Amino acid sequence: MTAALLEVRGLKTHFPTSSGIARAVDGVSFTLERGEVLGLVGESGSGKSVTGFSLIGLVDEPGRIVDGEIRFEGRDLVGQPTKELRRIRGRDIAMVFQDPMMTLNPVLSIATQMHLALEAHEKIGKEEARQRSIEALARVGIPSPEGRIDSFPHQFSGGMRQRVAIAIALLHRPKLIIADEPTTALDVSIQAQILAEMKALVKEFGMAMIWISHDLATVSSIADRIAVMYAGRIVEAGPVGQVLRSPRHPYTQGLLDSLPTRTSPGEELAQIPGTTPSLINLPSGCAFAPRCARANAECAVIPEEVYEDARRFRCHHPLPERSTP
Amino acid sequence: MTAFLSVEGAAKRFAPVLTFGDKVATWLGAQKPPRTVHAVDGVDLFVERGAVLGLVGESGSGKSTLGRMVAGIHVPTEGSIRLEGMPVMSPGNRPRKITTRVQMVFQDPFASLDPRMRIADTLAEGPIAHGLTTRREAMAYARKWLETVGLDPDYATRFPHQFSGGQRQRVAIARALAMQPDLLVCDEPVASLDVSIQAQIINLLMRLRRELNLTLLFISHDLSVVRHLCDRVAIMYLGRIVEEGPTPEVYETPRHPYTRALLESVPRLEIDDDVDVVFRPIEGELPSPQNPPAGCHFNARCPLVFDRCRIERPLLNEVGNGRLAACHLASPDQAGPNLAIKPISG
């Protein structure tokens, strides 16, 4: 098969509110090949999570996908009936959320929850389900899974809960896994454990993954490609090393410059002036223009996407490409 | 000269209140598991005037509890906390905070501002109560402090919901500063903010420190922010300080295995396509603070553990160049392998 695993074109997810339409996702396009890891980066309100939720049809009311297509293995998922989406969710596309308590049911044991997840997509006996669950828990690094499978979520630590959530997501060996800030709520040492395990699992199973995060450092260590979102649009995308080494969009550059690791201690950090715009009242043209030092009259028109080799960006005044780091 | 802030032997234990039934049960011989949480377990800490000390640790390390004791919110179970020799809390059975020289900025600016109070009232409430300003001058006083933190003074008549997260955190800082403190305890002040806003608040704190000659206790789990802002850093693990020293030295040559492992866990910005990032996570998990292990608290996860670590608590000792470490392998006279260049096993 030559078609990409996932092809998103012109995706728009809007939320009607009492004060206007919030354009959370406003024309997002990207493709994802089998086995590829895409890092979707942005600040709060950039639309990165809503993009993730849109892909598996889990946009909260009153939000809805108003335009665009989501082709998964060639088939458009937009407008599919819930029944059809439920067959795909969990089996072909799985999701891992930021807060594992959101995924796990507090009143059911882990064994029961995993059994239910297995039953949702295949006929399976109790004993076999238990065996498969224990194997899945062992794979994500839960020590002595035979003894812990009958525990309840509150008996696990935060890192272990996230491991259980990942084990459930992997039960059906999905082709695509969407991970929405899966390590943000965890401590650094636990984050490193989860990152290491996710990276190994993706490789082992040949899964594709969309890793949604606000943290450039974690994305740079796990993703093959990166897409930077701002106010509902992808402003820049490309191979993760190239984009971070020589960003073309001023917003990407601004994000990198505001990281304390890139400035010597004690010196003033470069800061992006102003705040992210309201999604209800976006500036016409480039949404970043009011905060951008390179902006001029041209920026009142939404910039077309510029393609250069494996990279693309939306900017009238892109930064020059740096040849060496 | 004594240090500006001195914390000596501070401990904080949280024990459940025993009901009458519990007491009867104990008297009748019931065996109950220990329920006391040892949040802070014998901490010594000294901060010079005008310095910025970073207090780093993972959740459950006791860093926030220690910060709250310094700020006079929690009463220490043991030990003392003094500012230029003067205690922060009053003596006696019901101690209360007796100084306004320490103020605190909290993590979540959505929770730390009263949603029903105008900004001016929030800022002036404390100063009026302590005679730093009068009711008549309260508005001008509030405007002055808003300007100090880089906000439009006209915002004084607004309510918290009219501000973004970064602006609210500025208001929270202005409220602390309006009490004209010498020491500011900041508990994860940038953790809930976006990267670009985080940079604004870090720059603000660096400017305020210079202009107002503030001493800062900066509590954070973010090692890169601490490296940028702090002169010295103290690393906490399960209620104890395991290492303390000048920030650049601690980051470059950690003397405690936990510090080293923690620094290794932080993902770096990797811009080279050819490098396949290898993670070296710390094995295992934080033990329960209700039942901490004997000896060194890190012993179950330490790659360099030996018998003494399971029995004897390592003290926070001088290891040269103004650095302190609590590890049996890190004493200066120990002619052993240098911890800094020893590879991590596994």
Side-chain angles (χ1 to χ4, degrees):
Chain A
M1 267 204 298
T2 47
L5 177 69
L6 180 73
E7 202 170 348
V8 178
R9 264 196 227 135
L11 179 69
K12 289 188 178 181
T13 306
H14 292 177
F15 292 77
T17 69
S18 53
S19 40
I21 294 168
R23 295 162 204 276
V25 177
D26 203 24
V28 158
S29 308
F30 63 88
T31 55
L32 192 67
E33 303 292 334
R34 277 154 228 280
E36 188 180 37
V37 179
L38 172 74
L40 200 54
V41 175
E43 298 185 277
S44 33
S46 62
K48 56 188 192 303
S49 291
V50 178
T51 302
F53 284 113
S54 301
L55 297 182
I56 51 170
L58 286 181
V59 180
D60 280 333
E61 288 287 328
R64 61 186 201 93
I65 298 173
V66 293
D67 197 14
E69 40 185 67
I70 299 166
R71 291 198 172 274
F72 182 72
E73 297 190 303
R75 191 158 67 122
D76 193 358
L77 299 185
V78 176
Q80 293 281 355
T82 314
K83 200 176 150 208
E84 194 51 40
L85 284 174
R86 290 189 73 151
R87 285 177 51 167
I88 296 168
R89 259 183 236 151
R91 194 187 61 187
D92 295 323
I93 307 180
M95 189 144 183
V96 177
F97 300 89
Q98 172 169 351
D99 181 359
M101 275 321 241
M102 207 169 130
T103 329
L104 301 176
N105 187 330
V107 298
L108 297 180
S109 73
I110 300 301
T112 312
Q113 300 194 40
M114 295 186 86
H115 188 188
L116 288 173
L118 281 166
E119 252 183 355
H121 297 288
E122 55 191 276
K123 266 199 148 65
I124 189 163
K126 208 164 180 187
E127 250 333 287
E128 199 197 337
R130 194 177 171 85
Q131 271 319 309
R132 291 236 329 247
S133 305
I134 289 172
E135 279 163 34
L137 291 174
R139 220 179 288 123
V140 295
I142 290 181
S144 56
E146 303 86 354
R148 303 219 59 183
I149 191 167
D150 293 309
S151 309
F152 288 83
H154 74 267
Q155 293 169 302
F156 288 86
S157 66
M160 283 297 161
R161 270 181 220 151
Q162 194 59 291
R163 286 196 169 87
V164 173
I166 292 168
I168 292 176
L170 296 179
L171 274 177
H172 295 283
R173 306 239 171 166
K175 293 166 186 147
L176 168 64
I177 186 158
I178 302 168
D180 186 9
E181 303 254 15
T183 61
T184 307
L186 305 175
D187 275 318
V188 229
S189 69
I190 309 297
Q191 165 174 290
Q193 293 174 354
I194 301 274
L195 274 170
E197 278 151 20
M198 286 297 262
K199 206 171 171 174
L201 289 167
V202 165
K203 206 172 223 174
E204 188 190 331
F205 290 177
M207 284 183 300
M209 178 159 75
I210 298 178
W211 183 276
I212 301 171
S213 176
H214 69 283
D215 184 0
L216 288 169
T218 52
V219 166
S220 77
S221 58
I222 198 163
D224 304 310
R225 282 194 308 135
I226 186 173
V228 182
M229 285 192 75
Y230 186 79
R233 298 192 190 112
I234 292 178
V235 294
E236 174 157 20
V240 67
Q242 280 183 36
V243 170
L244 297 180
R245 212 161 40 230
S246 165
R248 303 298 306 274
H249 198 284
Y251 176 64
T252 316
Q253 181 71 51
L255 275 185
L256 281 165
D257 286 344
S258 52
L259 292 179
T261 35
R262 310 249 301 177
T263 316
S264 16
E267 267 178 48
E268 183 149 332
L269 297 171
Q271 53 190 48
I272 304 174
T275 51
T276 39
S278 152
L279 294 172
I280 291 167
N281 198 6
L282 282 179
S284 62
C286 173
F288 186 59
R291 304 176 73 186
C292 182
R294 300 171 77 84
N296 64 7
E298 257 184 286
C299 303
V301 181
I302 296 181
E304 287 298 314
E305 214 150 41
V306 181
Y307 289 83
E308 272 179 13
D309 300 330
R311 302 185 57 174
R312 60 192 171 104
F313 48 86
R314 274 177 189 271
C315 184
H316 291 296
H317 310 287
L319 297 154
E321 190 156 16
R322 261 175 265 155
S323 47
T324 46
Chain B
M1 210 187 89
T2 54
F4 178 68
L5 167 71
S6 54
V7 177
E8 285 174 271
K12 180 70 189 174
R13 291 186 285 274
F14 294 97
V17 179
L18 291 180
T19 61
F20 179 71
D22 292 332
K23 284 178 189 165
V24 172
T26 315
W27 180 70
L28 289 171
Q31 299 281 320
K32 298 193 87 187
R35 294 281 303 278
T36 307
V37 173
H38 300 255
V40 176
D41 184 16
V43 162
D44 295 321
L45 192 66
F46 303 93
V47 184
E48 297 301 326
R49 192 180 187 109
V52 180
L53 177 84
L55 203 54
V56 172
E58 300 183 273
S59 36
S61 64
K63 58 187 192 302
S64 289
T65 306
L66 179 58
R68 282 163 179 254
M69 285 199 286
V70 170
I73 294 170
H74 287 326
V75 185
T77 314
E78 275 166 32
S80 71
I81 290 158
R82 288 164 188 277
L83 213 58
E84 290 185 318
M86 302 291 291
V88 169
M89 306 297 274
S90 64
N93 286 334
R94 308 199 124 196
R96 41 185 282 256
K97 189 180 171 189
I98 49 169
T99 179
T100 59
R101 296 177 64 194
V102 193
Q103 294 298 325
M104 187 146 178
V105 177
F106 298 90
Q107 171 172 355
D108 184 357
F110 288 80
S112 67
L113 300 175
D114 188 330
R116 298 199 180 133
M117 276 171 88
R118 290 186 193 277
I119 300 304
D121 297 329
T122 293
L123 293 190
E125 191 184 30
I128 291 173
H130 288 276
L132 295 170
T133 186
T134 60
R135 263 179 213 290
R136 277 171 138 221
E137 286 154 22
M139 182 53 88
Y141 191 79
R143 290 174 65 97
K144 177 185 128 186
W145 287 107
L146 282 177
E147 208 162 3
T148 309
V149 297
L151 287 176
D152 186 341
D154 289 342
Y155 289 174
T157 53
R158 293 198 184 176
F159 286 97
H161 73 264
Q162 293 170 290
F163 294 99
S164 68
Q167 288 173 322
R168 281 180 206 220
Q169 199 57 292
R170 283 176 197 263
V171 172
I173 293 170
R175 174 179 60 183
L177 294 178
M179 289 301 292
Q180 304 180 16
D182 296 314
L183 173 65
L184 200 59
V185 178
C186 302
D187 190 0
E188 303 263 17
V190 297
S192 61
L193 305 176
D194 272 322
V195 203
S196 68
I197 309 301
Q198 186 174 312
Q200 296 175 4
I201 298 295
I202 293 169
N203 285 342
L204 172 68
L205 285 171
M206 290 196 297
R207 176 170 68 77
L208 292 172
R209 174 213 178 177
R210 270 197 317 272
E211 289 174 3
L212 303 172
N213 191 27
L214 279 175
T215 309
L216 289 182
L217 186 62
F218 188 87
I219 302 165
S220 179
H221 70 281
D222 187 330
L223 288 153
S224 63
V225 172
V226 167
R227 177 174 213 166
H228 194 79
L229 193 67
C230 303
D231 312 317
R232 289 180 73 88
V233 59
I235 314 284
M236 285 191 78
Y237 185 78
L238 209 63
R240 295 174 183 170
I241 291 178
V242 295
E243 176 158 10
E244 206 241 300
T247 312
E249 278 95 328
V250 172
Y251 277 63
E252 265 142 50
T253 54
R255 299 298 302 272
H256 195 285
Y258 175 66
T259 314
R260 184 177 154 74
L262 190 65
L263 288 165
E264 297 246 0
S265 312
V266 181
R268 284 182 191 80
L269 195 70
E270 189 51 68
I271 56 170
D272 196 337
D273 295 316
D274 301 332
V275 173
D276 193 25
V277 180
V278 182
F279 296 98
R280 291 174 167 175
I282 310 176
E283 297 291 317
E285 289 192 33
L286 197 71
S288 160
Q290 287 182 10
N291 191 15
C296 174
H297 279 173
F298 190 57
N299 69 36
R301 304 171 77 185
C302 183
L304 307 172
V305 64
F306 59 107
D307 288 345
R308 194 176 160 200
C309 307
R310 299 193 182 91
I311 303 155
E312 188 189 330
R313 170 180 179 173
L315 298 173
L316 191 63
N317 282 325
E318 186 83 32
V319 289
N321 299 329
R323 300 184 55 177
L324 303 162
C327 177
H328 291 308
L329 287 171
S331 49
D333 49 310
Q334 183 101 20
N338 186 355
L339 203 57
I341 52 166
K342 185 155 181 157
I344 284 191
S345 64

